[in-house]
Amino acid sequence: MKNTVFAVPLAAAFALGGCIAVDEVQGRRLDLPEYDGIFKCDSSDVETLDDGHEEVAHEGPWSWEDLAVRAGKRSDASKVAYIDAAVRRLRAEEELTWKDPELRFGQDWGDTRSRTSGDPPANGSGYTTSVGVRFYVPNPFVERYIRAKSDGEIRKEDARAAVEAYEVYSEVKMLCYEEARARADERYLEERAKAWDDLRKASDESYKNGVFISPLDAIRSETKFQKARIKLDTMVSARETLRRRIAWLTGIPDDKLVIDSKPPPMPDPTSLSVEHLTEIAFARRPDLAAAVAELDEAEAGVKAAKAARIPWFRFVEATYSHDNDRENEWDRHQTGHADEFSIKTSIYLPIFTWAGESVELSEMVQARANARLMALYSSIRQEITTAYNDYFDACSRVNEEESRKFVERMEKRIAEYSSSSAAKAEETCKANEELIDYKNVQDIAFMLKVEAALRLESVIGGPLPVQAK
């Protein structure tokens, strides 16, 4: 009869729990691939995380990609985020671990005395010893969603660490670009300084030979030579500053850092498509992985809030007790022993949970997380479209082969003119100066193409796909 007392509420609890348990999320808004970014997005094994502090044993120049990856792994902000993720993982493990059972002991004593008029006194004594074990029963309907919620939060923290690392990765890529551009500017200024120095010397030589040129040309050549030298010194100093920052971020000694002069591979834009690049970004972008994890966490929170409305056991306790009684009446002694087994349970009734707003608030969080994810999808597509168009335009402005052939033709013509009897040194220097300016314009166009490629890389989460030759 005692067992039937709990039959009705238990049956109702299991029936209600079954209805809620099957109400799960049936897939994502988009069929996203697994996270496949540059940086590890899993704090489950913190000891194996690569911190980028390995010995610097590298042959030849460092590629931009190797430097950027190394700097991302060394990022302090990324390490802090990984620690936060590991702490959250530990907290989740503690929260979801079954509560240890309790071993419970009891000892009761009794002593009774009574006397009725005309009768001899009667008394009795006894004790009861009990021992029991209490088990705390986790709510499976809530726990499954709490576990899912914790998993989403952990993945969000892991992705945040990858976001921090990727930001440093992108920064170092752009620093390498700035260093390469400064190097190109150095070459240009060196060539200009040499051209103006040659023109200055030619003017002086003409003057010594009695050939007078305009004083304005002499002053201009000297002024431009000095300006080129000052600009060159300033550019060298700026490039060294960039190198020192790259060395600091990558942990490579400044005297051992040799940066590859070649930029990352830049594929033909016609071999790329916005759709393909968007698919790559969806798999690589750590900020998208964080947003997906955040939505998973919010959805699990809604399910957990609903499941918390199910009545469930708080504990189940099994007890064994032993009674020992002794009575003394009418000069007669009686003793008795009794053993008893019992099972106790407690069920909490979530009355105030039903009356609260936890479900409504959880659904609001879910709606906002979903809106944020949808906005991020749209933003990524727009970013890729804009960056791809910029890259396409930058590539269309550069024709390296045509430029190379033009430079070769002009160098040949300058050499032919210089070797002729009618050649003037001043005219040769001016022709060289104009050719130097032309090459600088082409270098600027090429570096703008490199910059556009890096910006496209930054929005797809890593290097551009290059077709195998």
Side-chain angles (χ1 to χ4, degrees):
M1 183 63 181
K2 291 181 179 180
N3 293 335
T4 60
V5 175
F6 304 105
V8 174
L10 287 179
F14 279 111
L16 181 58
C19 294
I20 294 181
V22 297
D23 185 19
E24 296 188 37
V25 178
Q26 301 296 325
R28 300 196 192 286
R29 279 73 179 164
L30 290 178
D31 186 15
L32 290 175
E34 292 295 326
Y35 174 76
D36 189 28
I38 297 174
F39 299 100
K40 184 176 180 181
C41 196
D42 182 8
S43 62
S44 59
D45 191 2
V46 180
E47 293 183 356
T48 63
L49 291 177
D50 186 356
D51 61 2
H53 283 88
E54 70 276 4
E55 292 293 328
V56 181
H58 188 83
E59 295 182 1
W62 287 83
S63 69
W64 297 12
E65 181 70 17
D66 289 342
L67 289 172
V69 171
R70 181 180 174 89
K73 292 178 179 179
R74 289 173 50 86
S75 167
D76 290 336
S78 176
K79 293 174 188 176
V80 171
Y82 270 125
I83 293 174
D84 292 342
V87 171
R88 183 63 189 91
R89 188 179 295 274
L90 175 61
R91 193 183 326 129
E93 185 67 23
E94 293 173 347
E95 291 173 353
L96 295 170
T97 300
W98 282 30
K99 190 175 180 180
D100 294 329
E102 294 180 359
L103 185 61
R104 305 169 71 87
F105 296 95
Q107 182 75 38
D108 298 324
W109 290 271
D111 187 6
T112 61
R113 297 177 181 274
S114 63
R115 179 169 185 150
T116 304
S117 178
D119 293 332
N123 58 68
S125 62
Y127 63 88
T128 300
T129 302
S130 63
V131 61
V133 180
R134 175 176 290 187
F135 296 91
Y136 293 91
V137 185
N139 188 334
F141 310 121
V142 175
E143 186 177 278
R144 63 184 301 186
Y145 297 116
I146 292 295
R147 188 174 296 278
K149 182 179 179 181
S150 297
D151 177 69
E153 186 174 355
I154 292 168
R155 287 191 291 113
K156 181 179 70 175
E157 292 295 327
D158 285 338
R160 187 169 67 86
V163 168
E164 299 289 354
Y166 188 73
E167 287 181 357
V168 176
Y169 166 92
S170 299
E171 177 187 358
V172 170
K173 275 285 187 76
M174 292 305 297
L175 286 173
C176 289
Y177 161 76
E178 294 291 344
E179 194 272 344
R181 185 165 183 172
R183 195 185 312 137
D185 289 340
E186 279 185 36
R187 290 194 300 268
Y188 166 69
L189 291 172
E190 286 175 351
E191 291 179 348
R192 278 188 64 86
K194 183 179 183 305
W196 283 108
D197 189 36
D198 290 343
L199 180 59
R200 184 186 60 163
K201 292 177 179 178
S203 299
D204 291 342
E205 188 67 24
S206 298
Y207 181 77
K208 291 178 181 179
N209 295 332
V211 179
F212 297 96
I213 63 173
S214 170
L216 178 61
D217 290 339
I219 295 173
R220 181 184 292 121
S221 63
E222 181 69 29
T223 301
K224 288 189 175 182
F225 170 72
Q226 296 298 335
K227 285 182 178 179
R229 293 302 307 174
I230 293 173
K231 289 181 180 179
L232 178 60
D233 292 341
T234 303
M235 186 58 62
V236 170
S237 177
R239 188 170 71 85
E240 285 302 312
T241 300
L242 290 170
R243 286 187 72 261
R244 285 193 292 270
R245 178 159 181 80
I246 294 171
W248 175 66
L249 289 172
T250 58
I252 301 173
D254 185 47
D255 58 343
K256 295 183 179 180
L257 177 61
V258 180
I259 304 174
D260 194 347
S261 59
K262 297 179 181 178
M266 292 179 289
D268 186 344
T270 59
S271 67
L272 307 174
S273 69
V274 173
E275 292 74 16
H276 184 213
L277 294 175
T278 302
E279 291 177 1
I280 294 174
F282 283 172
R284 285 181 180 175
R285 290 271 296 249
D287 56 341
L288 182 60
V292 171
E294 186 177 34
L295 179 58
D296 289 343
E297 177 190 356
E299 289 175 342
V302 173
K303 302 303 178 183
K306 291 181 178 179
R309 295 176 171 182
I310 305 173
W312 189 249
F313 300 101
R314 188 172 298 279
F315 67 83
V316 175
E317 181 178 339
T319 306
Y320 163 74
S321 61
H322 175 75
D323 294 333
N324 191 323
D325 297 323
R326 180 175 180 178
E327 294 184 1
N328 183 1
E329 185 178 6
W330 298 96
D331 294 329
R332 291 179 298 175
H333 300 282
Q334 294 180 355
T335 60
H337 302 275
D339 296 316
E340 182 179 349
F341 295 90
S342 65
I343 294 180
K344 300 177 182 179
T345 187
S346 171
I347 296 179
Y348 63 85
L349 302 176
I351 297 174
F352 298 109
T353 301
W354 276 98
E357 298 181 352
S358 58
V359 173
E360 289 76 9
L361 293 175
S362 298
E363 288 176 342
M364 181 183 67
V365 172
Q366 178 191 13
R368 292 184 177 180
N370 183 54
R372 177 176 179 271
L373 182 59
M374 293 299 102
L376 188 56
Y377 287 147
S378 177
S379 174
I380 288 174
R381 288 193 181 94
Q382 186 60 43
E383 286 177 354
I384 292 174
T385 301
T386 301
Y388 172 78
N389 290 334
D390 291 344
Y391 178 59
F392 190 94
D393 293 342
C395 290
S396 66
R397 291 191 292 268
V398 177
N399 191 326
E400 296 180 49
E401 183 65 18
E402 181 180 324
S403 175
R404 183 184 62 80
K405 290 180 179 179
F406 176 79
V407 170
E408 289 177 352
R409 290 198 308 270
M410 293 301 102
E411 287 178 341
K412 182 179 179 181
R413 289 183 61 175
I414 292 173
E416 291 174 347
Y417 173 78
S418 299
S419 61
S420 67
S421 58
K424 295 181 178 180
E426 292 84 356
E427 296 299 323
T428 300
C429 292
K430 290 179 180 179
N432 279 324
E433 181 189 359
E434 291 298 326
L435 186 58
I436 290 169
D437 286 342
Y438 171 80
K439 290 191 293 184
N440 182 58
V441 169
Q442 296 303 311
D443 285 343
I444 291 174
F446 177 76
M447 293 309 295
L448 290 176
K449 173 184 172 181
V450 175
E451 182 180 8
L454 293 182
R455 295 196 184 283
L456 183 55
E457 280 190 3
S458 69
V459 297
I460 68 169
L464 296 174
V466 180
Q467 292 181 343
K469 296 182 179 180

PDB file of all heavy atoms in Angstrom, residues 99-115:
ATOM      1  N   LYS A  99      25.825  13.644  -7.069  1.00  0.00           N
ATOM      2  CA  LYS A  99      26.125  13.945  -5.678  1.00  0.00           C
ATOM      3  C   LYS A  99      26.376  12.651  -4.918  1.00  0.00           C
ATOM      4  O   LYS A  99      25.654  11.665  -5.080  1.00  0.00           O
ATOM      5  CB  LYS A  99      24.954  14.702  -5.038  1.00  0.00           C
ATOM      6  CG  LYS A  99      25.278  15.268  -3.674  1.00  0.00           C
ATOM      7  CD  LYS A  99      24.119  16.111  -3.156  1.00  0.00           C
ATOM      8  CE  LYS A  99      24.438  16.684  -1.784  1.00  0.00           C
ATOM      9  NZ  LYS A  99      23.321  17.510  -1.267  1.00  0.00           N
ATOM     10  N   ASP A 100      27.411  12.644  -4.103  1.00  0.00           N
ATOM     11  CA  ASP A 100      27.774  11.430  -3.371  1.00  0.00           C
ATOM     12  C   ASP A 100      26.659  11.026  -2.408  1.00  0.00           C
ATOM     13  O   ASP A 100      26.019  11.879  -1.788  1.00  0.00           O
ATOM     14  CB  ASP A 100      29.067  11.648  -2.585  1.00  0.00           C
ATOM     15  CG  ASP A 100      30.266  11.862  -3.492  1.00  0.00           C
ATOM     16  OD1 ASP A 100      30.265  11.285  -4.595  1.00  0.00           O
ATOM     17  OD2 ASP A 100      31.188  12.598  -3.099  1.00  0.00           O
ATOM     18  N   PRO A 101      26.437   9.712  -2.264  1.00  0.00           N
ATOM     19  CA  PRO A 101      25.413   9.254  -1.312  1.00  0.00           C
ATOM     20  C   PRO A 101      25.840   9.512   0.126  1.00  0.00           C
ATOM     21  O   PRO A 101      27.025   9.686   0.422  1.00  0.00           O
ATOM     22  CB  PRO A 101      25.302   7.760  -1.611  1.00  0.00           C
ATOM     23  CG  PRO A 101      26.618   7.385  -2.198  1.00  0.00           C
ATOM     24  CD  PRO A 101      27.089   8.586  -2.963  1.00  0.00           C
ATOM     25  N   GLU A 102      24.842   9.504   1.022  1.00  0.00           N
ATOM     26  CA  GLU A 102      25.101   9.733   2.444  1.00  0.00           C
ATOM     27  C   GLU A 102      24.829   8.445   3.213  1.00  0.00           C
ATOM     28  O   GLU A 102      23.822   7.766   2.982  1.00  0.00           O
ATOM     29  CB  GLU A 102      24.190  10.832   2.994  1.00  0.00           C
ATOM     30  CG  GLU A 102      24.451  12.195   2.411  1.00  0.00           C
ATOM     31  CD  GLU A 102      23.514  13.241   2.991  1.00  0.00           C
ATOM     32  OE1 GLU A 102      22.651  12.851   3.830  1.00  0.00           O
ATOM     33  OE2 GLU A 102      23.612  14.412   2.621  1.00  0.00           O
ATOM     34  N   LEU A 103      25.722   8.123   4.135  1.00  0.00           N
ATOM     35  CA  LEU A 103      25.509   7.010   5.063  1.00  0.00           C
ATOM     36  C   LEU A 103      25.004   7.609   6.364  1.00  0.00           C
ATOM     37  O   LEU A 103      25.683   8.422   6.989  1.00  0.00           O
ATOM     38  CB  LEU A 103      26.818   6.249   5.285  1.00  0.00           C
ATOM     39  CG  LEU A 103      26.734   4.976   6.134  1.00  0.00           C
ATOM     40  CD1 LEU A 103      25.804   3.966   5.468  1.00  0.00           C
ATOM     41  CD2 LEU A 103      28.118   4.379   6.338  1.00  0.00           C
ATOM     42  N   ARG A 104      23.811   7.211   6.786  1.00  0.00           N
ATOM     43  CA  ARG A 104      23.132   7.865   7.906  1.00  0.00           C
ATOM     44  C   ARG A 104      22.978   6.869   9.055  1.00  0.00           C
ATOM     45  O   ARG A 104      22.584   5.707   8.850  1.00  0.00           O
ATOM     46  CB  ARG A 104      21.760   8.382   7.477  1.00  0.00           C
ATOM     47  CG  ARG A 104      21.844   9.300   6.264  1.00  0.00           C
ATOM     48  CD  ARG A 104      20.479   9.589   5.692  1.00  0.00           C
ATOM     49  NE  ARG A 104      19.693  10.469   6.552  1.00  0.00           N
ATOM     50  CZ  ARG A 104      19.738  11.788   6.512  1.00  0.00           C
ATOM     51  NH1 ARG A 104      20.542  12.390   5.659  1.00  0.00           N
ATOM     52  NH2 ARG A 104      18.993  12.517   7.314  1.00  0.00           N
ATOM     53  N   PHE A 105      23.304   7.314  10.283  1.00  0.00           N
ATOM     54  CA  PHE A 105      23.192   6.497  11.482  1.00  0.00           C
ATOM     55  C   PHE A 105      22.204   7.147  12.445  1.00  0.00           C
ATOM     56  O   PHE A 105      22.085   8.368  12.497  1.00  0.00           O
ATOM     57  CB  PHE A 105      24.555   6.351  12.184  1.00  0.00           C
ATOM     58  CG  PHE A 105      25.584   5.615  11.372  1.00  0.00           C
ATOM     59  CD1 PHE A 105      26.479   6.311  10.588  1.00  0.00           C
ATOM     60  CD2 PHE A 105      25.640   4.232  11.393  1.00  0.00           C
ATOM     61  CE1 PHE A 105      27.417   5.652   9.830  1.00  0.00           C
ATOM     62  CE2 PHE A 105      26.593   3.561  10.637  1.00  0.00           C
ATOM     63  CZ  PHE A 105      27.469   4.265   9.861  1.00  0.00           C
ATOM     64  N   GLY A 106      21.527   6.287  13.242  1.00  0.00           N
ATOM     65  CA  GLY A 106      20.606   6.801  14.254  1.00  0.00           C
ATOM     66  C   GLY A 106      20.591   5.904  15.485  1.00  0.00           C
ATOM     67  O   GLY A 106      20.737   4.668  15.377  1.00  0.00           O
ATOM     68  N   GLN A 107      20.425   6.494  16.637  1.00  0.00           N
ATOM     69  CA  GLN A 107      20.349   5.738  17.894  1.00  0.00           C
ATOM     70  C   GLN A 107      19.344   6.447  18.796  1.00  0.00           C
ATOM     71  O   GLN A 107      19.517   7.638  19.116  1.00  0.00           O
ATOM     72  CB  GLN A 107      21.720   5.684  18.581  1.00  0.00           C
ATOM     73  CG  GLN A 107      21.745   4.866  19.867  1.00  0.00           C
ATOM     74  CD  GLN A 107      21.717   3.363  19.606  1.00  0.00           C
ATOM     75  OE1 GLN A 107      22.335   2.907  18.651  1.00  0.00           O
ATOM     76  NE2 GLN A 107      20.988   2.611  20.406  1.00  0.00           N
ATOM     77  N   ASP A 108      18.259   5.734  19.203  1.00  0.00           N
ATOM     78  CA  ASP A 108      17.224   6.279  20.077  1.00  0.00           C
ATOM     79  C   ASP A 108      17.166   5.444  21.363  1.00  0.00           C
ATOM     80  O   ASP A 108      17.274   4.207  21.323  1.00  0.00           O
ATOM     81  CB  ASP A 108      15.857   6.242  19.386  1.00  0.00           C
ATOM     82  CG  ASP A 108      15.845   7.089  18.129  1.00  0.00           C
ATOM     83  OD1 ASP A 108      16.504   8.138  18.124  1.00  0.00           O
ATOM     84  OD2 ASP A 108      15.177   6.690  17.153  1.00  0.00           O
ATOM     85  N   TRP A 109      16.985   6.132  22.502  1.00  0.00           N
ATOM     86  CA  TRP A 109      16.832   5.464  23.791  1.00  0.00           C
ATOM     87  C   TRP A 109      15.487   5.849  24.390  1.00  0.00           C
ATOM     88  O   TRP A 109      15.002   6.968  24.192  1.00  0.00           O
ATOM     89  CB  TRP A 109      17.938   5.888  24.766  1.00  0.00           C
ATOM     90  CG  TRP A 109      19.295   5.359  24.394  1.00  0.00           C
ATOM     91  CD1 TRP A 109      19.848   4.182  24.752  1.00  0.00           C
ATOM     92  CD2 TRP A 109      20.262   6.044  23.596  1.00  0.00           C
ATOM     93  NE1 TRP A 109      21.099   4.039  24.232  1.00  0.00           N
ATOM     94  CE2 TRP A 109      21.391   5.185  23.502  1.00  0.00           C
ATOM     95  CE3 TRP A 109      20.299   7.268  22.936  1.00  0.00           C
ATOM     96  CZ2 TRP A 109      22.533   5.508  22.802  1.00  0.00           C
ATOM     97  CZ3 TRP A 109      21.432   7.589  22.237  1.00  0.00           C
ATOM     98  CH2 TRP A 109      22.529   6.726  22.162  1.00  0.00           C
ATOM     99  N   GLY A 110      14.911   4.903  25.147  1.00  0.00           N
ATOM    100  CA  GLY A 110      13.647   5.186  25.818  1.00  0.00           C
ATOM    101  C   GLY A 110      13.599   4.581  27.220  1.00  0.00           C
ATOM    102  O   GLY A 110      14.151   3.497  27.465  1.00  0.00           O
ATOM    103  N   ASP A 111      12.934   5.265  28.131  1.00  0.00           N
ATOM    104  CA  ASP A 111      12.791   4.781  29.519  1.00  0.00           C
ATOM    105  C   ASP A 111      11.415   5.231  30.018  1.00  0.00           C
ATOM    106  O   ASP A 111      11.143   6.425  30.104  1.00  0.00           O
ATOM    107  CB  ASP A 111      13.899   5.359  30.394  1.00  0.00           C
ATOM    108  CG  ASP A 111      13.878   4.749  31.799  1.00  0.00           C
ATOM    109  OD1 ASP A 111      13.082   3.805  32.028  1.00  0.00           O
ATOM    110  OD2 ASP A 111      14.647   5.220  32.650  1.00  0.00           O
ATOM    111  N   THR A 112      10.540   4.238  30.340  1.00  0.00           N
ATOM    112  CA  THR A 112       9.176   4.573  30.770  1.00  0.00           C
ATOM    113  C   THR A 112       8.930   4.031  32.160  1.00  0.00           C
ATOM    114  O   THR A 112       9.409   2.941  32.529  1.00  0.00           O
ATOM    115  CB  THR A 112       8.151   3.965  29.797  1.00  0.00           C
ATOM    116  OG1 THR A 112       8.283   2.536  29.792  1.00  0.00           O
ATOM    117  CG2 THR A 112       8.351   4.488  28.385  1.00  0.00           C
ATOM    118  N   ARG A 113       8.169   4.807  32.942  1.00  0.00           N
ATOM    119  CA  ARG A 113       7.770   4.375  34.290  1.00  0.00           C
ATOM    120  C   ARG A 113       6.299   4.746  34.475  1.00  0.00           C
ATOM    121  O   ARG A 113       5.890   5.833  34.113  1.00  0.00           O
ATOM    122  CB  ARG A 113       8.609   5.083  35.366  1.00  0.00           C
ATOM    123  CG  ARG A 113      10.099   4.742  35.279  1.00  0.00           C
ATOM    124  CD  ARG A 113      10.897   5.513  36.314  1.00  0.00           C
ATOM    125  NE  ARG A 113      12.301   5.221  36.220  1.00  0.00           N
ATOM    126  CZ  ARG A 113      12.903   4.185  36.818  1.00  0.00           C
ATOM    127  NH1 ARG A 113      12.185   3.348  37.581  1.00  0.00           N
ATOM    128  NH2 ARG A 113      14.191   3.978  36.668  1.00  0.00           N
ATOM    129  N   SER A 114       5.567   3.802  35.052  1.00  0.00           N
ATOM    130  CA  SER A 114       4.147   4.068  35.323  1.00  0.00           C
ATOM    131  C   SER A 114       3.736   3.358  36.619  1.00  0.00           C
ATOM    132  O   SER A 114       4.308   2.342  36.988  1.00  0.00           O
ATOM    133  CB  SER A 114       3.280   3.564  34.152  1.00  0.00           C
ATOM    134  OG  SER A 114       3.396   2.165  34.022  1.00  0.00           O
ATOM    135  N   ARG A 115       2.713   3.918  37.291  1.00  0.00           N
ATOM    136  CA  ARG A 115       2.218   3.303  38.534  1.00  0.00           C
ATOM    137  C   ARG A 115       0.737   3.600  38.658  1.00  0.00           C
ATOM    138  O   ARG A 115       0.308   4.736  38.532  1.00  0.00           O
ATOM    139  CB  ARG A 115       2.961   3.876  39.747  1.00  0.00           C
ATOM    140  CG  ARG A 115       2.449   3.265  41.042  1.00  0.00           C
ATOM    141  CD  ARG A 115       3.322   3.601  42.190  1.00  0.00           C
ATOM    142  NE  ARG A 115       2.881   2.902  43.376  1.00  0.00           N
ATOM    143  CZ  ARG A 115       3.663   2.516  44.360  1.00  0.00           C
ATOM    144  NH1 ARG A 115       4.964   2.765  44.283  1.00  0.00           N
ATOM    145  NH2 ARG A 115       3.192   1.914  45.415  1.00  0.00           N
TER     146      ARG A 115
END
